[in-house]
Amino acid sequence: MKKIKVGVIGVGNMGRHHTRVYSELEETELVVIADINREQALKISEEYNCNYYQDYETMINKEKLDAVSIAVPSSFHKTIAIKCMNKGINVLIEKPIALTLSDAEEIINVSKEKKVKLMVGHIERFNPVIDKVKKLIETGMFGKPIIISSTRVGVFPKQITDINVLLDLAVHEIDIIGYLFNNNVKHVFSEAIIGEDGREEAAQLLLNYDHNRIGIIQTNWLTPVKKRKISINCTKGYLEADYISQEITSYTLLPKETPKTYSQFLDYKSEEQIIRLKHVEPLKLEILDFYDSIINDKEPFVNGDDGINALKIALAAVESIKQKKRISLDENNKTNNAN
Ligand SMILES: NC(=O)c1ccc[n+]([C@@H]2O[C@H](COP(=O)([O-])OP(=O)(O)OC[C@H]3O[C@@H](n4cnc5c(N)ncnc54)[C@H](O)[C@@H]3O)[C@@H](O)[C@H]2O)c1
């Protein structure tokens, strides 16, 4: 098996997990990390027995790398990704791809020009529950999905200072709902609670898709416990999945008998099935897909277009909050004037 030589830029909260996974996988050789915080770089390099740099540019000039993960604050994604790609290095960039559409477009253009792989870290695409839910929907036994509702809440991430909760958390759900619906958003409406620092710290999003389908996202940094759940109402059934426990509960058609007694009434539900999947770390699957895309010259499962798509919708939601009205997107998910 061909191993690829990898580095990680930014080894804070998320980058340390990229580092760990690269060090664990047989397919990848963790060569080096870079972090402007020397203490952090030293600590992680000792933990994973690799070289370290404070300056990522020196790192990419001196080391021969096939690929890097970029897990620095989102406002630095563009500059660092472009510098790496210009050196011919394949890039796995954390979400959101960038802060603006023009920056995201630039990243995508350079990846095409330099013919390097560009993957965006929409990690939940690699969550086994999402793969299973997608397959269950595709069997047709639940009918067509019409309403997808998700909750992604948790504690305030004090290290994130450059983005709001929509770009931090809602982008995950925007990407997944779009993936499950296989469809483009037509309109976005959102309301938010603005924190003391002026950023949206809680938001509800209402996404209207083609064919009268609806996505609902509840997200915040205000809940003292991490909850990540998604439910899919279909024309002939209902699915509920927990991203964390990787458990799915499915319900098919309602029983024909109407409840007569109180206990029958309490129990009145359709056939319930609980599916407990073998727990797999999504980041491991994400990095293996990145590896596969490099080795077999394939498009990564989540590419730059997916990254920009999620960003467009999240930015339209932020615009909706500002303008206090629904924002329309055209068939390419480009934001039009509000209506
Ligand atoms: N996919 C996910 O589920 C997920 C989860 C958390 C964070 N993220 C994303 O990962 C990125 C990082 O977030 P985080 O929570 O790890 O932040 P963090 O602050 O914990 O880590 C960022 C690290 O980058 C370093 N850094 C900053 N500028 C640098 C530079 N120019 N060169 C090298 N290192 C630099 C910092 O010193 C820090 O150690 C963000 O884009 C965030 O949205 C994704």
Side-chain angles (χ1 to χ4, degrees):
M1 178 212 310
K2 189 176 179 324
K3 272 194 183 232
I4 57 166
K5 289 184 187 299
V6 298
V8 179
I9 305 176
V11 288
N13 179 46
M14 194 62 198
R16 68 195 309 155
H17 293 293
H18 285 252
T19 309
R20 172 179 51 76
V21 171
Y22 283 130
S23 79
E24 287 169 1
L25 288 173
E26 278 181 17
E27 289 82 352
T28 53
E29 181 187 345
L30 173 72
V31 177
V32 68
I33 56 161
D35 199 298
I36 41 164
N37 179 338
R38 188 177 170 278
E39 222 176 282
Q40 180 71 1
L42 180 63
K43 190 175 120 202
I44 300 293
S45 74
E46 281 176 354
E47 202 173 331
Y48 295 102
N49 194 23
C50 65
N51 201 357
Y52 81 90
Y53 292 81
Q54 249 184 299
D55 175 24
Y56 78 91
E57 287 195 75
T58 314
M59 175 185 105
I60 58 174
N61 285 328
K62 285 202 169 164
E63 306 278 347
K64 264 202 88 50
L65 296 174
D66 298 304
V68 289
S69 277
I70 299 176
V72 295
S74 310
S75 37
F76 304 133
H77 285 181
K78 181 187 103 174
T79 312
I80 298 182
I82 289 179
K83 288 225 162 99
C84 292
M85 293 189 292
N86 276 332
K87 287 241 132 222
I89 301 172
N90 299 290
V91 162
L92 164 48
I93 192 168
E94 262 309 334
K95 48 51 56 182
I97 181 170
L99 298 193
T100 65
L101 298 184
S102 59
D103 281 2
E105 270 159 17
E106 240 184 280
I107 295 173
I108 293 170
N109 289 341
V110 175
S111 77
K112 286 182 181 153
E113 212 178 283
K114 295 291 166 186
K115 297 190 171 45
V116 294
K117 302 299 172 199
L118 168 64
M119 182 176 215
V120 184
H122 284 284
I123 193 167
E124 299 297 12
R125 286 271 203 110
F126 297 92
N127 194 313
V129 288
I130 294 303
D131 184 49
K132 183 72 182 174
V133 162
K134 179 88 171 159
K135 287 184 176 133
L136 286 171
I137 292 173
E138 284 169 356
T139 63
M141 65 186 284
F142 297 94
K144 291 199 171 110
I146 42 177
I147 304 168
I148 303 183
S149 170
S150 61
T151 301
R152 180 167 290 255
V153 297
V155 291
F156 183 73
K158 60 179 184 318
Q159 80 282 5
I160 303 275
T161 55
D162 55 354
I163 51 176
N164 58 35
V165 75
L166 291 102
L167 292 190
D168 183 33
L169 298 186
V171 281
H172 284 291
E173 300 308 324
I174 291 170
D175 177 66
I176 292 301
I177 296 176
Y179 174 62
L180 294 178
F181 270 153
N182 218 357
N183 223 322
N184 281 340
V185 171
K186 284 166 65 188
H187 313 288
V188 178
F189 180 72
S190 182
E191 286 196 341
I193 293 173
I194 311 292
E196 279 175 11
D197 62 6
R199 288 183 294 160
E200 293 78 0
E201 59 180 7
Q204 319 292 322
L205 286 77
L206 199 54
L207 310 175
N208 185 275
Y209 291 80
D210 282 354
H211 310 302
N212 206 18
R213 296 162 183 216
I214 292 170
I216 304 161
I217 299 171
Q218 183 196 24
T219 190
N220 72 52
W221 285 329
L222 303 172
T223 309
V225 56
K226 200 193 247 194
K227 299 251 177 216
R228 276 115 174 83
K229 292 185 178 197
I230 189 159
S231 61
I232 300 102
N233 265 90
C234 303
T235 47
K236 290 194 228 158
Y238 175 73
L239 294 155
E240 250 177 21
D242 188 319
Y243 291 101
I244 299 172
S245 67
Q246 299 189 351
E247 202 174 286
I248 299 169
T249 313
S250 74
Y251 302 86
T252 41
L253 285 177
L254 277 171
K256 288 189 184 85
E257 287 285 308
T258 16
K260 293 185 185 79
T261 65
Y262 180 58
S263 71
Q264 281 173 353
F265 167 75
L266 289 180
D267 255 2
Y268 187 63
K269 63 178 185 222
S270 48
E271 198 179 310
E272 180 184 272
Q273 199 197 348
I274 297 178
I275 304 166
R276 287 189 187 91
L277 299 171
K278 185 171 173 285
H279 202 102
V280 185
E281 184 178 3
L283 185 60
K284 221 166 233 180
L285 300 177
E286 178 181 294
I287 286 178
L288 282 173
D289 184 80
F290 182 46
Y291 169 82
D292 189 34
S293 76
I294 296 167
I295 289 293
N296 296 314
D297 193 17
K298 283 168 37 184
E299 196 58 14
F301 185 46
V302 186
N303 63 17
D305 291 341
D306 296 310
I308 201 169
N309 199 33
L311 179 66
K312 268 176 200 162
I313 297 164
L315 291 176
V318 174
E319 201 49 37
S320 165
I321 294 162
K322 285 199 183 112
Q323 295 193 23
K324 298 190 190 316
K325 57 184 174 187
R326 191 169 83 155
I327 300 290
S328 297
L329 293 109
D330 67 17
E331 71 276 9
N332 299 314
N333 277 344
K334 288 216 172 91
T335 312
N336 292 327
N337 280 332
N339 61 13

